[in-house]
Amino acid sequence: MAQPDDMFGDEDYPAYTMGRAAEIVGASQDFLRRLDEAKLFTPFRSAGGHRRYSRYQLRLAARARDMVDHGTALEAACRIIILEDQLEEALHHNEHHQQRTDAA
């Protein structure tokens, strides 16, 4: 198991309770539940079944909240964020592949 100091830098470590996550994002706990239902992300679960959120998930939630605050439907905001992240990942993969091809 990772040491606690190692987890501080881990964006995917589920460090935040639902109440704290809602406070950080500036949204309600129900909003976070709706993001889970819309499949933007799946929060981790503690041994007791409580939702726990990572910094990465909080950033996604903040992006969704901003879009919803500006009039985008929640489901549409989640889909846009998912597609943007997929595009960023594909571009990164293509750049890495191109660098390997150029080096060969």
Side-chain angles (χ1 to χ4, degrees):
M1 176 154 171
Q3 296 298 316
D5 287 346
D6 296 338
M7 294 176 202
F8 288 122
D10 185 353
E11 289 195 342
D12 296 318
Y13 181 71
Y16 302 95
T17 63
M18 177 179 269
R20 182 67 178 129
E23 184 180 315
I24 291 169
V25 172
S28 68
Q29 292 181 17
D30 183 60
F31 181 79
L32 293 176
R33 285 185 202 97
R34 290 175 48 214
L35 295 178
D36 182 12
E37 292 168 5
K39 308 241 186 288
L40 179 59
F41 52 73
T42 302
F44 300 91
R45 296 286 182 151
S46 69
H50 299 281
R51 289 175 173 89
R52 305 281 298 187
Y53 297 87
S54 68
R55 288 192 327 234
Y56 174 72
Q57 290 171 327
L58 295 184
R59 278 198 308 280
L60 294 178
R63 286 169 60 191
R65 184 193 53 79
D66 186 54
M67 293 176 80
V68 168
D69 287 351
H70 285 92
T72 304
L74 180 96
E75 293 77 15
C78 291
R79 187 66 182 139
I80 290 166
I81 292 167
I82 290 166
L83 290 171
E84 286 175 344
D85 283 0
Q86 287 174 344
L87 175 60
E88 185 177 331
E89 185 177 323
L91 290 172
H92 177 74
H93 176 75
N94 285 344
E95 180 181 315
H96 180 72
H97 178 72
Q98 185 62 43
Q99 288 173 352
R100 288 180 37 196
T101 302
D102 291 346

